[in-house]
């Protein structure tokens, strides 16, 4: 049973920073997966924030470019999201997720954590 467990959320003031972690169970080797961070604010649709593929290439939503950094530690099977210069619009539940790789492409994300709340005021 795959488990993705996020941590590191909290409440910060505008301009502050938070670092999110997502520890993944050993039976789901993130080195071979596409991994991503998503967020969902109350009343809004879930949106992708950042992702990192099995080769380490990253991509970001325009709204977080230059402020957020996604990374992973394959040895620890852990995904990270460093968030700097936080804004009230970043307030949301943040989820990490994993996807299989097929033909060099990420399949739809189908493994999800329970989320960690980020509140910026």
């Amino acid at each position: 049973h795959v488990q993705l467990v996020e941590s590191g959320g909290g409440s910060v003031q505008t301009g502050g920073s938070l670092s999110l972690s997502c520890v993944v169970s050993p039976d789901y080797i993130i080195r071979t997966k596409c991994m991503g961070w998503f967020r969902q604010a109350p009343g809004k649709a879930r949106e992708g924030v950042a992702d990192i593929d099995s080769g380490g290439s990253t991509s970001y939503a325009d709204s977080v470019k230059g402020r957020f950094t996604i990374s992973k530690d394959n040895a620890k099977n852990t995904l990270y999201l460093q968030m700097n210069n936080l804004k009230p619009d970043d307030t949301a539940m943040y989820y990490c997720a994993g996807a299989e790789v097929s033909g060099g492409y990420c399949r739809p994300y189908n493994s999800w954590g329970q989320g960690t709340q980020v509140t910026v005021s």
Side-chain angles (χ1 to χ4, degrees):
H1 177 63
V2 176
Q3 285 191 310
L4 293 79
V5 181
E6 303 95 335
S7 63
S11 297
V12 295
Q13 293 187 334
T14 298
S17 297
L18 283 173
S19 182
L20 305 185
S21 298
C22 174
V23 178
V24 183
S25 55
D27 56 340
Y28 194 85
I29 302 172
I30 68 170
R31 173 175 55 82
T32 66
K33 313 294 185 188
C34 293
M35 300 297 297
W37 287 98
F38 293 76
R39 66 186 182 187
Q40 187 167 20
K44 294 186 177 181
R46 185 175 61 199
E47 63 173 344
V49 174
D51 56 52
I52 183 167
D53 67 16
S54 56
S57 295
T58 59
S59 64
Y60 298 90
D62 287 344
S63 58
V64 307
K65 280 181 182 176
R67 300 188 299 121
F68 291 10
T69 302
I70 188 172
S71 62
K72 61 180 179 175
D73 185 330
N74 291 330
K76 295 182 178 179
N77 219 39
T78 300
L79 182 71
Y80 303 99
L81 185 68
Q82 177 65 40
M83 305 186 295
N84 298 327
N85 191 21
L86 283 160
K87 305 175 181 180
D89 284 349
D90 296 319
T91 295
M93 185 72 78
Y94 283 71
Y95 301 89
C96 73
E100 300 293 336
V101 177
S102 178
Y105 293 94
C106 300
R107 301 292 295 165
Y109 285 89
N110 59 358
S111 295
W112 294 86
Q114 294 300 306
T116 185
Q117 178 68 37
V118 171
T119 302
V120 186
S121 59

